[in-house]
């Protein structure tokens, strides 16, 4: 993005960052641009689930792993990503998985370089603080994807399910959706995961229509995996755009602090067999500080 500072070269330590996509013509260029800039020493991997819109034809500097397409099954997808993560850890020191609309950002007061920041951390795995970037459509215009995104969006919202344990030095077993795993949550309070699914109403609805048409396996439907991808348009717009706008109108925006939410997450996490389930809740609307405005 223009106007963004370039991180300093990172110290030694191999990092793999991967995502999985299908026809992500908008989000994939953002994902690649972001991680190339904030983690220039990392190797980037795009698992392409048979995109046919040309979005994965020319991934310069990014390794593409093609997969054949069938019914969408979150169990199969998670098994594959878990296996890839565990295999990459034989060759890389840190492995990160994010969806294509998820951007990891360290607190800019700590570091502008994700790769060097993570190498300096003592933990074996961590979850960031998960923030949905909001489009308040009655206050903010449609986004210009050629310009820095956070200069155009003012508000966000904590969501516990976005505090995903996505950064690891050890083998984890992620659950479908990658919201939980076989380890207790370890929140890095200086690391943020900005989820940009809701960053623009029109683009979000266009993308929703792409995903609505995908065939899901019977097992995925029975387990309610990815249920929000199958919402009708009315429910999708209400939950992702109208409800946050009404909440902001009624309550206003709070300061960008999340101590109470993190305490609740830690307190209410429950163990199910070998998996630790995060409680599912959202926080108040917050105003994204200006210090983040050039991060992507």
């Amino acid at each position: 993005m223009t106007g963004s500072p370039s991180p300093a070269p990172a110290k030694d330590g191999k990092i793999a960052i991967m995502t999985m996509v299908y026809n992500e013509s908008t989000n994939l260029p953002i994902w690649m641009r972001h991680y190339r800039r904030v983690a220039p020493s990392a190797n980037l991997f795009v698992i392409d689930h048979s995109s046919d819109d040309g979005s994965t034809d020319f991934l310069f500097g990014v390794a593409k792993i093609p997969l054949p397409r069938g019914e969408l099954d979150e169990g199969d997808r998670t098994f594959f990503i878990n296996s890839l993560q565990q295999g990459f850890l034989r060759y890389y020191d840190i492995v990160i998985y994010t969806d294509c609309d998820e951007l990891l950002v360290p607190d800019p007061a700590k570091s502008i370089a994700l790769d060097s920041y993570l190498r300096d951390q003592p933990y074996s795995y961590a979850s960031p603080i998960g923030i949905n970037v909001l489009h308040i459509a009655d206050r903010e215009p449609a986004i210009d994807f050629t310009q820095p995104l956070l200069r155009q969006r003012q508000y966000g919202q904590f969501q516990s399910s976005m505090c995903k344990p996505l950064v690891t030095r050890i083998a984890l077993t992620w659950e479908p959706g990658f919201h939980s795993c076989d380890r207790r949550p370890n929140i890095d309070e200086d690391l943020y995961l900005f989820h940009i699914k809701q960053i623009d109403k029109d683009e979000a609805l266009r993308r929703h229509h792409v995903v609505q048409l995908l065939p899901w396996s019977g097992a995925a439907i029975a387990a309610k995996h990815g249920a929000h991808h199958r919402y009708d348009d009315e429910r999708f717009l209400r939950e992702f755009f109208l409800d946050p706008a009404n909440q902001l109108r009624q309550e206003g925006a709070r300061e960008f602090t999340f101590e109470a939410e993190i305490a609740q997450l830690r307190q209410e996490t429950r163990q199910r067999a070998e998996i630790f389930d995060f409680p599912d809740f959202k926080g108040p609307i917050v105003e994204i500080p200006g210090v983040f405005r050039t991060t992507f």
Side-chain angles (χ1 to χ4, degrees), residues 188-200:
D188 181 344
E189 298 185 30
D190 293 319
L191 185 64
Y192 297 87
L193 184 70
F194 286 96
H195 184 213
I196 62 171
K197 177 186 181 73
Q198 297 166 247
I199 203 166
D200 186 79

Side-chain angles (χ1 to χ4, degrees), residues 38-58:
V38 301
S41 66
N43 287 97
L44 305 184
F45 298 86
V46 170
I47 302 149
D48 180 19
H49 205 178
S50 297
S51 296
D52 57 14
D53 65 345
S55 59
T56 59
D57 288 352
F58 303 102

Side-chain angles (χ1 to χ4, degrees):
M1 290 292 185
T2 59
S4 300
S6 298
K11 296 180 291 188
D12 291 339
K14 299 178 290 296
I15 299 176
I17 306 175
M18 56 177 166
T19 193
M20 188 169 181
V21 301
Y22 171 70
N23 285 359
E24 288 277 10
S25 58
T26 297
N27 287 327
L28 182 55
I30 296 168
W31 186 92
M32 292 191 299
R33 186 164 58 239
H34 175 72
Y35 287 107
R36 281 171 174 159
R37 190 181 69 81
V38 301
S41 66
N43 287 97
L44 305 184
F45 298 86
V46 170
I47 302 149
D48 180 19
H49 205 178
S50 297
S51 296
D52 57 14
D53 65 345
S55 59
T56 59
D57 288 352
F58 303 102
L59 304 181
F60 299 112
V62 177
K64 182 168 76 171
I65 302 172
L67 289 181
R69 185 151 203 93
E71 289 184 328
L72 184 54
D73 187 280
E74 282 293 303
D76 289 346
R77 184 169 85 103
T78 308
F79 179 87
F80 179 80
I81 299 297
N82 276 328
S83 301
L84 197 57
Q85 169 228 134
Q86 292 163 18
F88 275 155
L89 285 168
R90 299 292 184 107
Y91 298 92
Y92 291 91
D93 302 296
I94 299 171
V95 173
I96 299 168
Y97 175 82
T98 76
D99 287 340
C100 197
D101 57 4
E102 297 171 349
L103 307 176
L104 280 166
V105 177
D107 181 341
K110 304 290 183 178
S111 178
I112 59 171
L114 177 66
D115 48 7
S116 59
Y117 172 81
L118 292 177
R119 291 189 184 100
D120 287 340
Q121 304 312 307
Y123 47 68
S124 55
Y125 67 97
S127 297
I129 296 173
I131 306 295
N132 287 322
V133 181
L134 303 177
H135 179 197
I136 307 301
D138 61 350
R139 299 190 183 189
E140 300 170 323
I143 206 157
D144 180 352
F145 284 104
T146 69
Q147 298 300 313
L149 303 183
L150 286 187
R151 289 183 179 174
Q152 304 173 68
R153 292 294 178 258
Q154 187 175 356
Y155 302 106
Q157 186 174 32
F158 175 93
Q159 184 166 348
S160 63
S161 62
M162 296 309 299
C163 299
K164 298 180 174 183
L166 298 181
V167 178
T168 188
R169 291 184 170 90
I170 60 174
L172 301 179
T173 300
W174 286 315
E175 283 283 276
F178 306 92
H179 304 292
S180 56
C181 70
D182 58 344
R183 303 272 179 161
R184 289 189 179 276
N186 178 42
I187 305 296
D188 181 344
E189 298 185 30
D190 293 319
L191 185 64
Y192 297 87
L193 184 70
F194 286 96
H195 184 213
I196 62 171
K197 177 186 181 73
Q198 297 166 247
I199 203 166
D200 186 79
K201 179 171 66 72
D202 291 341
E203 172 57 26
L205 189 59
R206 183 202 68 79
R207 177 64 190 167
H208 186 60
H209 290 159
V210 172
V211 181
Q212 274 180 326
L213 297 175
L214 297 178
W216 290 76
S217 71
I221 293 172
K224 298 183 179 179
H225 291 157
H228 61 285
H229 294 304
R230 299 186 290 277
Y231 286 175
D232 60 34
D233 287 2
E234 181 182 359
R235 182 176 181 183
F236 177 83
L237 291 171
R238 182 178 71 251
E239 291 193 12
F240 289 102
F241 295 94
L242 296 179
D243 287 351
N246 287 334
Q247 183 177 347
L248 178 63
R249 189 176 299 110
Q250 293 167 10
E251 302 175 5
R254 197 194 66 182
E255 187 181 355
F256 195 81
T257 58
F258 306 100
E259 291 85 354
E261 288 83 1
I262 294 169
Q264 181 179 348
L265 189 152
R266 288 170 173 157
Q267 181 178 2
E268 296 183 11
T269 295
R270 296 290 182 264
Q271 186 173 3
R272 169 177 53 85
E274 296 181 353
I275 299 299
F276 291 87
D277 289 323
F278 288 17
D280 188 13
F281 65 95
K282 295 180 181 180
I285 307 296
V286 297
E287 187 166 355
I288 300 171
V291 70
F292 286 98
R293 295 305 168 88
T294 59
T295 55
F296 61 86

